[in-house]
Amino acid sequence: MIASATTAAWAHTAFAYAGMGLGAALWRRCLRQQHRGGALAPGNFGVLVGLLVGAALGNKLVFLIERPDVVLAMWQSRALMFPGQSIVGGLLGGLIGVEIAKKLTGQTRSTGDAMVLPIAVGLAIGRVGCFLAGLHDDTYGLPTAAPWGMDFGDGIPRHPTQLYEIAVVLPLGLALHRARLPTPGLAFKLFLSAYLLWRFAIEFLKPVPVAYPLGLSGIQWTCLVALAIYLPLTLRAARTPS
């Protein structure tokens, strides 16, 4: 693991941007495979803008929900920028941004399926950066006696939750990308629903920085609210092939 906080931050950022870059390249490839034109085609470009703006806002918003203690500290110091980000927030914000962009541009066809594999690969690469950052990143797990527990720098074997996520997200994304599902958009709906369920569950293996009702973290409550809204849409799409 990286011992220096500064080096860890740079490494984490490098892997995050590498994941976004490769994800963008894969998205363009998926668009071509689905005969939907290039990333800069009028409809696709609008979706891309909505995705980027929504993801940028969402990842900060959910991070602030997860870490109100950081919000308070930054407010007291009158800082202009908040550190940290949330993958869950980025996904949910990106989804909302895409839907708004589609509404504004008059698009009615589903656009999510082309994003499944790019998101999965981008997430996996980003988690490598989280893993290398060790204790300097908030994604490490609780102490464990399991033989695969890893020392992130404090001499305590912990759950390598970043590696758990890679092991779940990559096969899930690849399987849904290859699946021939009857309803356009169902692959993305299944991916997002499964990821939200996964994040709710895996958070029990991580320290809770700020406890909300029932002892759940802000991320877990965000996942529950999102699932309450989004899971019925996913089940409806699965029951009514088009």
Side-chain angles (χ1 to χ4, degrees):
M1 306 307 146
I2 299 173
S4 166
T6 302
T7 305
W10 279 106
H12 184 277
T13 301
F15 275 94
Y17 278 106
M20 287 188 285
L22 182 54
L26 285 174
W27 179 61
R28 293 176 60 189
R29 179 182 176 185
C30 290
L31 287 177
R32 291 195 297 269
Q33 290 176 341
Q34 296 179 9
H35 306 291
R36 294 195 172 187
L40 298 182
N44 295 337
F45 182 71
V47 167
L48 178 60
V49 172
L51 172 66
L52 294 176
V53 173
L57 295 175
N59 73 19
K60 290 297 182 184
L61 176 60
V62 174
F63 172 78
L64 299 182
I65 293 173
E66 172 77 353
R67 298 300 305 270
D69 55 327
V70 174
V71 178
L72 179 60
M74 300 299 285
W75 176 265
Q76 291 173 341
S77 64
R78 300 183 183 276
L80 297 178
M81 295 186 64
F82 291 98
Q85 55 188 350
S86 165
I87 290 176
V88 168
L91 288 175
L92 295 176
L95 171 64
I96 294 171
V98 166
E99 292 303 318
I100 292 174
K102 288 169 61 178
K103 190 74 173 179
L104 293 175
T105 56
Q107 294 189 69
T108 56
R109 67 178 181 179
S110 174
T111 57
D113 289 348
M115 297 180 183
V116 170
L117 185 60
I119 290 174
V121 171
L123 285 177
I125 294 175
R127 284 306 186 199
V128 173
C130 295
F131 175 75
L132 294 176
L135 295 177
H136 301 295
D137 190 83
D138 289 333
T139 57
Y140 57 85
L142 293 169
T144 179
W148 55 83
M150 303 190 70
D151 178 5
F152 285 91
D154 59 357
I156 302 174
R158 297 177 179 274
H159 285 286
T161 50
Q162 310 94 330
L163 302 185
Y164 296 170
E165 183 154 323
I166 294 172
V168 168
V169 167
L170 272 182
L172 174 65
L174 185 60
L176 289 173
H177 173 72
R178 291 179 173 176
R180 295 295 178 263
L181 299 175
T183 304
L186 180 56
F188 178 81
K189 288 182 172 64
L190 290 171
F191 178 84
L192 181 57
S193 297
Y195 185 74
L196 291 172
L197 286 168
W198 158 256
R199 282 302 303 271
F200 175 79
I202 196 63
E203 293 299 309
F204 286 110
L205 295 182
K206 298 180 184 180
V208 178
V210 177
Y212 280 77
L214 304 180
L216 301 178
S217 69
I219 289 288
Q220 287 177 306
W221 275 110
T222 300
C223 289
L224 285 177
V225 172
L227 282 167
I229 298 171
Y230 200 68
L231 191 56
L233 301 177
T234 302
L235 296 175
R236 187 184 310 160
R239 289 195 302 264
T240 55
S242 59

